[in-house]
Amino acid sequence: MLDIKSLRENPEAAKTKWASRGLDVDVEALLAKDVRRREIITELEQLQHTRKASSKEIGMKKKAGEDATEAMAAVRAIGDQISALEKEKAEVNEALDLELLSLPNFPHDSVPVGHSEADNPVIRTWGQPVEMDFEPKAHWELAEALGIFEFERAAAISGAGFSCLTGAAARLSRGLISFMLDLHITEHGYTEVQVPLLVNDDAMTGTGQLPKFAEELYRVPEDNLWLIPTAEVPVTNLYRDHIFDADDLPMSLTAHTPCFRREAGAAGKMTRGMNRLHQFDKVEMVKFVKPADSYAELEKLTGHAEAVLQKLGLHYRVITLCTGDVGFSSAKTYDIELWAPGQQAWLEVSSCSNFEDFQARRAKIRYRNEQGKPVMVHTLNGSGVALPRLLVAILEQGQQADGSIVIPEVLRPYMGGMEKIG
RNA sequence: GGAGAGAUGGCUGAGUGGUCUAAGGCACCUGAUUGCUAAUCAGGCGUACGAAAUUUUCGUACCGGGGGUUCAAAUCCCCCUCUCUCCGCCA
């Protein structure tokens, strides 16, 4: 959510920022509601002031044994006015909030202007495609031959878009989770947390999934809960309504969770094999930082995700999402993409974003600054990294002519010393 | 799932309809004082929003959340959430 005050002060700048996302926003209508809202508040406060004073007088009169019938009637009339105004205030607030909650963040000035993912610039590439003197296979072919992915069995119990890892793949997945968490907590300064996978409306609103993206979420109506689409939701909301001391920041948290996504409308897009699933595992990194530090922290965070891939020896590239492609809540996002030689495609495995104070304002996450005043923190998060496509890259980049898979060295301790699959 | 008890500021804890403008204590900040890891004294010490001023002042709201009764609600009533105790069930 954006600050209504900043819109009030500079409506033209806001229009321009939203226009760069391809959005035409009627800022004037929004501000008109804000003006009415403040009028109501002023009027209401005056009435409340009168009622408060008069009620006190009535109390004193009664105590003194005087008659207060007339004053009581007068205050009752004020009470009616107050009720009416409060109703209008609630309506205006609700309308204004809904609009504000539905408007995306402003892209940062350093974000390249563009219309779609075609305009996202590649800012660096690490490693090389592995030289293969044979035709590389897609991971689903490799895995089928090795008997380590069982999609049909998963489909039989849950439908399309679910996976079942068997044997070495399951162990590899578990090893990767441990490897990534260990790396982040021992070398990157994160604290590991285990969090709920089912969360309430407030949590989903805090990080921006609601009210706009309900159709992407699985829900449990009996209990009014939602399945998390990413650990970002419970981890960021750990500090909802919290005021940090300045010394607490930056705070860096990492968590492994499954993620649940309906992927409504994504049918047909790269859905083969492990590329896109309704349920997948992910290690997530979340940071709460002082506003002045947030862009430096975004670079560090992205570096932490890259470190995972570098230690695994995987060829990847980093791109900046342009204004037309950057996510709803984000001010700036780097995507990290792994090369999948069997599909001749780049697969997104990590998305590292600075939300500035957009989530913090929704979730009321603040810190006490040097003057002792509470101000919004900046929140960041990034995948560090997502499992299925990481497995895809390990399989496709590590494949040998005989169909076996070489296990990256750093993972072998997690695999009981195993050097290859197959 | 059943029964009971509770939820008040950063923490602790009083307050059962009317100067509550929420006591007291702890912690913290500022100053004074005392010759020493500190004590004592005085003062300060929440959040949000609005108005005026321009860095201060005034006002309103906030005692788990929501609604109600009343001239007036931390206080009375209803619903919800959470915590604790006991019982049941259970990995």
Side-chain angles (χ1 to χ4, degrees):
Chain A
M1 177 159 56
L2 290 151
D3 188 5
I4 187 76
K5 283 181 200 157
S6 72
L7 296 184
R8 217 184 281 159
E9 281 160 20
N10 206 340
E12 282 313 306
K15 274 184 102 90
T16 310
K17 289 274 192 181
W18 277 319
S20 76
R21 279 179 174 268
L23 212 65
D24 182 23
V25 179
D26 190 349
V27 181
E28 288 76 15
L30 209 61
L31 289 177
K33 283 202 184 77
D34 177 52
V35 168
R36 179 62 193 142
R37 187 184 128 260
R38 285 182 292 152
E39 283 171 1
I40 293 170
I41 288 171
T42 305
E43 203 176 328
L44 195 58
E45 288 185 351
Q46 282 164 358
L47 288 170
Q48 284 170 327
H49 179 61
T50 310
R51 175 169 72 175
K52 206 172 167 181
S54 303
S55 292
K56 202 171 272 182
E57 277 173 36
I58 292 169
M60 287 158 88
K61 270 189 186 170
K62 285 198 154 185
K63 204 169 260 178
E66 294 170 35
D67 177 62
T69 318
E70 212 171 294
M72 279 162 65
V75 177
R76 188 196 297 263
I78 292 172
D80 291 343
Q81 278 179 274
I82 288 175
S83 302
L85 267 182
E86 272 176 347
K87 194 170 165 233
E88 192 188 347
K89 182 181 155 191
E91 285 165 4
V92 172
N93 268 343
E94 197 180 332
L96 195 58
D97 278 353
L98 187 64
E99 283 188 49
L100 282 174
L101 287 171
S102 302
L103 287 166
N105 204 352
F106 296 144
H108 187 249
D109 286 337
S110 67
V111 172
V113 175
H115 296 292
S116 71
E117 60 184 299
D119 302 316
N120 296 337
V122 175
I123 55 173
R124 60 180 166 271
T125 301
W126 189 90
Q128 311 275 333
V130 183
E131 301 229 355
M132 295 176 187
D133 51 8
F134 56 93
E135 189 68 20
K137 291 186 174 125
H139 63 279
W140 54 83
E141 292 177 67
L142 295 162
E144 190 183 1
L146 292 165
I148 56 174
F149 289 1
E150 301 190 90
F151 286 105
E152 294 80 3
R153 291 177 199 270
I157 53 178
S158 302
F162 292 87
S163 69
C164 176
L165 306 181
T166 303
R171 191 173 190 185
L172 185 63
S173 174
R174 177 161 56 86
L176 278 164
I177 292 164
S178 289
F179 160 70
M180 290 189 279
L181 287 171
D182 287 348
L183 178 66
H184 296 318
I185 64 180
T186 59
E187 291 185 29
H188 300 153
Y190 289 76
T191 301
E192 182 177 353
V193 287
Q194 274 193 19
V195 290
L197 308 180
L198 292 160
V199 302
N200 60 26
D201 285 6
D202 286 343
M204 284 296 186
T205 305
T207 33
Q209 281 73 25
L210 292 179
K212 262 206 112 169
F213 303 105
E215 72 281 1
E216 280 300 320
L217 303 170
Y218 287 101
R219 58 187 290 245
V220 184
E222 291 81 359
D223 297 290
N224 234 332
L225 293 168
W226 306 83
L227 275 75
I228 60 167
T230 159
E232 165 195 345
V233 176
V235 176
T236 305
N237 278 287
L238 284 177
Y239 291 100
R240 178 149 43 109
D241 290 322
H242 184 68
I243 302 178
F244 286 105
D245 289 332
D247 299 345
D248 298 335
L249 306 179
M251 173 162 288
S252 306
L253 301 172
T254 184
H256 156 245
T257 70
C259 302
F260 304 92
R261 300 185 180 179
R262 294 190 63 231
E263 299 291 355
K269 270 192 254 172
M270 294 286 290
T271 50
R272 189 107 191 251
M274 299 276 281
N275 288 336
R276 186 180 296 275
L277 297 167
H278 290 305
Q279 178 190 326
F280 62 94
D281 286 273
K282 179 159 64 64
V283 169
E284 185 77 359
M285 304 173 287
V286 173
K287 279 175 179 278
F288 303 94
V289 307
K290 294 180 190 173
D293 302 335
S294 68
Y295 281 92
E297 290 286 348
L298 177 61
E299 299 302 320
K300 279 163 74 176
L301 180 81
T302 308
H304 298 153
E306 288 180 67
V308 169
L309 308 182
Q310 289 176 11
K311 285 186 187 290
L312 293 169
L314 296 171
H315 176 43
Y316 70 85
R317 66 181 189 178
V318 181
I319 64 177
T320 307
L321 298 191
C322 70
T323 54
D325 197 32
V326 68
F328 178 81
S329 300
S330 175
K332 183 170 187 174
T333 298
Y334 294 120
D335 272 6
I336 303 176
E337 299 180 330
L338 278 171
W339 178 242
Q343 304 174 69
Q344 290 291 300
W346 292 98
L347 303 179
E348 180 191 331
V349 279
S350 178
S351 199
C352 298
S353 302
N354 182 0
F355 302 95
E356 298 190 358
D357 62 8
F358 189 85
Q359 290 181 330
R361 183 167 298 108
R362 288 173 163 241
K364 295 194 181 63
I365 305 172
R366 293 170 288 176
Y367 83 105
R368 236 168 252 288
N369 68 10
E370 288 66 22
Q371 289 76 44
K373 291 284 159 228
V375 294
M376 299 298 167
V377 301
H378 280 192
T379 60
L380 298 91
N381 69 53
S383 346
V385 302
L387 263 294
R389 293 177 190 162
L390 182 58
L391 283 172
V392 167
I394 288 173
L395 261 57
E396 294 193 14
Q397 290 193 27
Q399 65 181 294
Q400 306 299 302
D402 64 359
S404 66
I405 313 293
V406 173
I407 297 171
E409 264 181 55
V410 291
L411 288 180
R412 292 177 192 171
Y414 294 93
M415 298 288 289
M418 191 190 289
E419 292 177 10
K420 62 177 200 169
I421 301 171

